[in-house]
Structures are given as structure tokens and as C-alpha cells.
Amino acid sequence: MFETFHFQMKLSAVLLASAAGCLVCFAQQIQQGAGRENQSLDRIVARLGQDSAYSRAEARIEAKYPQEFAKIAAKIADAEKQMNALAEKIAVELPKTAEQTDREARFFLRENKAAIDKLLEAAKTDSAKAYRDFQSLAREKGIQIRRQMANGSGANGMTGARGNRGIRNNTSGATAVSTEPRKEFVNRDIWPDNNGAHINAHGGWILKVDDTFYWYGEYRPVNGMEDKAVKVYTSNDLYNWTDAGLAFRQNAEYAPGISRNSLLERPKVVYNEKTKKYVLWYHFEPGGGYNSASTATAVSDSPLGPFRIVRTGRPNVKTWPLNAEPELKAYIDGTNKTVPNRFRRMIENFNNGQESRDMTIFKDDDGKAYLVHSSENNMTMHITELTDDYQDFTGRWWYVFKDKQYEAPVIFKKDGKYYFFGSGCTGWNPNAAKSAVADQLTGPWKELGNPAVDEDGNITYSGQSAFSYTLPDGTIIAVFDIWRPQGLHDSRYLWLKVEWENGRPVVHNSARWSYPADALKK
């Protein structure tokens, strides 16, 4: 039932770039793996496209979970069959240029590599948890297939069908990305801007100015870029976005001495009514890596930029938190010279400032703004008050979620209470989200558990929290990045409505949804 599918290909050759095809390949290779029991496990990590890349570990998985594997394989096979039939029908209707063909082929290779790496990791660990991860991957791919079939295109946006002679494609062999106006949020899909290019604004932020929405985010180009940048898109409905260019470029022109290996992550932009300036904050690593754990601030007269750096550095230099616990207070007061282990990292950073990695900005109803950031080697969240112009720190700060190891903070407010979404620290890999509530931003916070309550909530539907946005009618949207580390430019998005169950905020795994027609009215 499953034919051989080679992953190694020339970019100019157009393959059926579908998630279904990818998983069908997995199934076929795993089935073949049973006959290669004596091959070395080292060959599992062989190059993509080699028939020997899968061996006895995959066979063990299939043997250990035959029923589950059979169900997944059957569903994938059926979906691929339907998709191929559909692709046959529309193949001639979706011509594309050679340039687009090559671009989509690159996307396909990167996406499949990430998926294969995940399966190989599951095979190497050979555990029930690892196999559940594979099942989650299969379910996610199945959702993509169903959605794309409903849109009238092959999975992953590429069209084509397998005939008796192997792979067949449309006349140009390329992906069709619809640029028809959207009337709803479509999660996990390629989200085309006005030019048909996938929106490239990750770890980002939404700011509304008059009737225009501005979506800022990390710009992750296909071929890499020496200068790190913040991309901005504009919209009047949140569904359809226009590429407005780079709002900020972190290079020698704006910040002399910054290394080409520097990092720019999680950009947030707030407007300051007093100065009439737009203020950009982001996690800043001037020399690459994550050892500096610093921040940078840039300002502009326009929401479109260009933003210019006005300061860099860590927050809270030579200042102590305002909510110090007794053991820390005793050390600060000098009554106990022994360094409390729980606060060792904080104390070590007293002179040079506290660490700041994943971060967000929260602007309260009274106009006060705060930096909320992972600190103490990502073990604790700090909340740091900003100056009235939002460009520096006042020296007033608090720590929350001590020793919880949270990152990717998001703060929103409803009915006078503050709510927190965040994630655990597992690198690019998704994990169970976190949520909490407080009467004051500075705490104390009461934890509420994982807000992702549907199937695959244990990995937050493959996403990580990025920011939230509250519509004029009170609808709160929580935005998550679905990271694709093998091709960050192709990372996808989850825009989910925050709902309320038993007094706590939750998000459901919605493939498509839309806000009420009058939600944007003031």
C-alpha cells in the first residue's frame, strides 16, 4: 500500500510535499524496518533519503503498539488517497513560477526533516511517552491534511499526485498559496500576506493605532541574515495583512559594536502618550548565545519605524526586589551573611543587573508599564517597573514564580484581575502551558494549571505562548508560535480565543474561528 518515497531530492524537482506523504513514508519505512533487525542503530541518524535510515528501533515501536500504529497508518493512507485524487483534479489550475517551486521544495525538505528528527528521537528512546509524541505528530499532520483538502489544495500547500510512474505534479510543479481575503483565523497553515508570502513575525506583538493593527515579530529569512530585524505588517481586520517592511534592523548603522552573531527575540512595541514615541523592547544577546541575558530599547516617531536603539543592558543593577522573603531580607540586612541557595543567582547578579531572557511588556490601565522577564537562569520570573517614558528601569522590581522555570510570558487583564500564560523550558520543543491569576501584577500569583484543555494540550497543541491581544468587545486572543527550528521562517501560528471555564482561562484547539462581526467596534 505504501510505495517508496525518497526524501533526498534536487530543489528543482517537485515532489508531493505533503504531511501525509511524510508520515506514509514513516509507516512504510517502519514496516520495512522489521526486516532489518540486525542493522546498527547508528544508521537511524543517516542522511535523509537513505533507505537504511530506519531500522530496528522503529520496528520495536510498531511491534509494541501495533493497533495504534495501524490506525494511524490507515487514516494517513486514506487521507493521502483522497488528497491525491483532489490534486489530480486541480493540478492544471494552479500554475506557479520556477522560483516559487524551488521555495516550496525547500520548505518541504525543512518541514520533513524536523518531523523525521522527532520520530527518530522517539525511536531512540523507545518509550511509551516517545510514541505518544509520534501519535501527536500524526494527529497534527492529519489536521493539516483535512484543512488543506478543504481548501482545495494538497497538504502543506503543494499540489500533485502519485501515478503509476511515481510522482506527478502540476505544470509548474509548485505550491498554490491562496491570496483570497480571509474571513477567519486559520491555524497552523501558511498565512500569506498581500504578496502571497508566509507572514514572518515570530515571538511578536500586536499594537493598534487608530484603525490600523500592527503585527511586529522576529524576522527569520530563508537564507539567514547577518543583521537581525523586526518585521511589521499592517491590517484593519487581523485576518489579512500587508507587508510593511522592516521596522528595525539591529546592525552597525543603529548600534555600533553589535556582533553579527547577536540575537534579537520577542520584540514588543508600546506607545508612550507623554513622549509621543513608539518604544520597542526585546531580548538582546549582543554576542550570540544566551549568556548576556540582556535587554535593548529602541524608539521611533512612527509605528512603522525606523526604530533607533537608545539603551541596552540588564535591568535592576544594584537594587533588591521589593517583595524579598525573610531569608533574603536577612541577607540584605546583613543579619545573616550566609547566601541562601534559592537566591544565589540573584545575589551573584546584583552588581551587573538581573538576567532577562524571554520577556514581554505589560501596560496597565493607569499607563504604568512593566517588563516581565525570565531570570535567574530561567528559574524565576521578574517584574520590573519602567520609567514614565518606557525607555528605562525605575529600580523597582519583584520576583514571582520562584524556582518554577517558566518562560514565554504573556500577561492580560480581565475584570480587574491579572492573568499569566507561559511555558516550561524545553528549548524549541513544545510543552504543557502554564497559567495563573493575581489581584496585583506583582503578586502573589495563584497557579491555575494548563490552559490548553483539549487533546494534545500536554504540548499546547505544538505551540508556545507569544502574546495576547484584547479586542474592543473584550474578546481576548492568545497567540502561540509553532516553532520549526529546521526552518524558522516557516514557523506557524496559533491564534486562539481565551474562554472561561470554572473561573479560569482556557484555550481550545481550534483549527478555524472568527470573532463576532462587531468585535472591533469601540
Side-chain angles (χ1 to χ4, degrees):
M1 178 173 62
F2 303 112
E3 62 203 35
T4 301
F5 186 79
H6 295 286
F7 282 90
Q8 191 173 21
M9 69 177 187
K10 297 180 180 179
L11 291 179
S12 59
V14 180
L15 299 177
L16 175 60
S18 69
C22 178
L23 287 174
V24 166
C25 177
F26 292 164
Q28 178 256 331
Q29 293 286 7
I30 292 171
Q31 288 171 337
Q32 290 180 354
R36 300 196 295 272
E37 272 288 324
N38 295 324
Q39 290 190 6
S40 169
L41 284 175
D42 292 339
R43 302 191 71 181
I44 292 175
V45 294
R47 292 179 58 195
L48 294 177
Q50 292 179 336
D51 290 338
S52 60
Y54 305 92
S55 76
R56 59 185 180 181
E58 286 85 351
R60 286 202 303 271
I61 288 178
E62 183 183 5
K64 195 170 183 179
Y65 305 93
Q67 294 181 348
E68 292 88 341
F69 187 92
K71 289 178 182 178
I72 292 172
K75 289 181 180 179
I76 292 169
D78 182 63
E80 189 194 39
K81 183 178 179 180
Q82 296 179 52
M83 188 183 66
N84 285 342
L86 180 62
E88 282 276 5
K89 182 178 179 180
I90 64 175
V92 298
E93 300 176 10
L94 301 170
K96 285 283 181 173
T97 66
E99 179 183 355
Q100 290 168 315
T101 298
D102 286 348
R103 182 174 69 250
E104 295 299 335
R106 289 195 295 271
F107 285 173
F108 173 47
L109 282 175
R110 289 187 173 93
E111 177 181 352
N112 284 338
K113 185 179 186 306
I116 291 170
D117 287 346
K118 185 169 184 177
L119 178 58
L120 293 181
E121 184 63 29
K124 285 186 286 184
T125 58
D126 191 22
S127 66
K129 179 182 182 301
Y131 190 73
R132 284 197 300 272
D133 289 344
F134 171 54
Q135 287 180 302
S136 296
L137 174 65
R139 283 192 294 269
E140 180 182 338
K141 295 295 185 182
I143 291 171
Q144 292 178 6
I145 292 165
R146 289 192 296 274
R147 181 184 65 247
Q148 289 154 344
M149 287 192 342
N151 286 341
S153 65
N156 202 33
M158 295 190 74
T159 60
R162 296 189 196 188
N164 294 331
R165 297 182 180 179
I167 308 298
R168 278 195 327 195
N169 309 280
N170 58 17
T171 52
S172 67
T175 298
V177 178
S178 174
T179 56
E180 290 296 316
R182 291 195 175 193
K183 298 180 180 180
E184 60 184 351
F185 298 113
V186 182
N187 288 318
R188 295 186 179 83
D189 205 355
I190 290 177
W191 195 340
D193 63 14
N194 60 306
N195 298 316
H198 181 46
I199 290 174
N200 198 333
H202 313 287
W205 190 253
I206 295 290
L207 180 69
K208 188 179 182 185
V209 180
D210 297 326
D211 293 327
T212 301
F213 297 98
Y214 295 82
W215 181 357
Y216 303 90
E218 302 166 18
Y219 177 59
R220 302 282 189 165
V222 175
N223 297 319
M225 186 170 104
E226 287 185 339
D227 299 331
K228 307 306 184 293
V230 174
K231 189 79 166 178
V232 60
Y233 297 83
T234 61
S235 173
N236 59 13
D237 62 6
L238 294 174
Y239 300 138
N240 303 281
W241 294 89
T242 297
D243 183 350
L246 298 181
F248 171 69
R249 295 180 65 193
Q250 182 177 279
N251 59 13
E253 179 182 355
Y254 301 132
I258 291 177
S259 166
R260 294 300 189 186
N261 295 321
S262 64
L263 297 179
L264 180 163
E265 294 182 337
R266 299 190 174 267
K268 317 297 178 186
V269 177
V270 287
Y271 179 68
N272 188 283
E273 287 80 4
K274 294 181 180 179
T275 64
K276 310 300 181 186
K277 300 284 187 183
Y278 295 89
V279 186
L280 164 69
W281 281 84
Y282 61 92
H283 169 211
F284 173 53
E285 297 286 346
Y290 287 91
N291 292 325
S292 294
S294 190
T295 66
T297 316
V299 299
S300 173
D301 294 324
S302 165
L304 296 175
F307 287 84
R308 304 278 178 144
I309 287 181
V310 294
R311 59 151 302 282
T312 62
R314 286 184 173 184
N316 307 321
V317 177
K318 296 183 179 179
T319 60
W320 293 112
L322 298 181
N323 62 337
E325 296 174 56
E327 58 179 328
L328 179 58
K329 281 185 177 179
Y331 177 81
I332 295 171
D333 296 340
T335 56
N336 186 353
K337 296 295 186 181
T338 302
V339 176
N341 283 333
R342 290 184 67 232
F343 297 96
R344 184 174 297 276
R345 191 93 175 186
M346 181 192 297
I347 293 169
E348 289 174 349
N349 289 320
F350 177 78
N351 288 323
N352 296 322
Q354 299 300 318
E355 297 172 340
S356 179
R357 294 187 175 90
D358 273 15
M359 47 74 66
T360 191
I361 295 292
F362 179 76
K363 184 178 178 181
D364 212 338
D365 300 334
D366 61 2
K368 276 286 185 182
Y370 302 83
L371 177 74
V372 182
H373 52 108
S374 295
S375 192
E376 300 175 49
N377 200 27
N378 284 2
M379 292 301 297
T380 303
M381 283 282 168
H382 289 188
I383 298 176
T384 298
E385 185 181 73
L386 301 183
T387 53
D388 287 344
D389 61 5
Y390 303 163
Q391 297 179 29
D392 209 337
F393 311 108
T394 65
R396 292 166 48 86
W397 64 284
W398 302 259
Y399 62 89
V400 296
F401 305 118
K402 180 66 179 169
D403 301 324
K404 295 293 185 178
Q405 200 170 28
Y406 293 167
E407 64 180 9
V410 171
I411 303 287
F412 55 93
K413 194 173 183 180
K414 180 178 175 61
D415 299 332
K417 292 186 179 293
Y418 301 84
Y419 292 89
F420 167 89
F421 280 179
S423 80
C425 298
T426 55
W428 296 110
N429 299 319
N431 54 63
K434 321 295 179 183
S435 70
V437 62
D439 292 327
Q440 299 181 70
L441 177 64
T442 56
W445 286 82
K446 177 185 176 182
E447 297 191 61
L448 300 174
N450 185 354
V453 294
D454 294 341
E455 188 176 20
D456 292 337
N458 64 311
I459 53 171
T460 317
Y461 318 134
S462 298
Q464 184 187 40
S465 45
F467 64 93
S468 67
Y469 187 78
T470 302
L471 301 182
D473 75 338
T475 298
I476 300 172
I477 302 173
V479 178
F480 303 78
D481 289 292
I482 300 178
W483 295 112
R484 296 190 172 185
Q486 302 301 326
L488 287 170
H489 62 280
D490 192 35
S491 295
R492 306 298 173 87
Y493 309 98
L494 283 173
W495 286 48
L496 302 177
K497 180 180 179 181
V498 176
E499 302 181 70
W500 303 87
E501 296 180 2
N502 300 319
R504 73 185 187 102
V506 300
V507 287
H508 291 282
N509 194 4
S510 305
R512 295 169 174 265
W513 69 282
S514 59
Y515 51 75
D518 59 352
L520 299 185
K521 295 180 179 179
K522 296 181 180 179

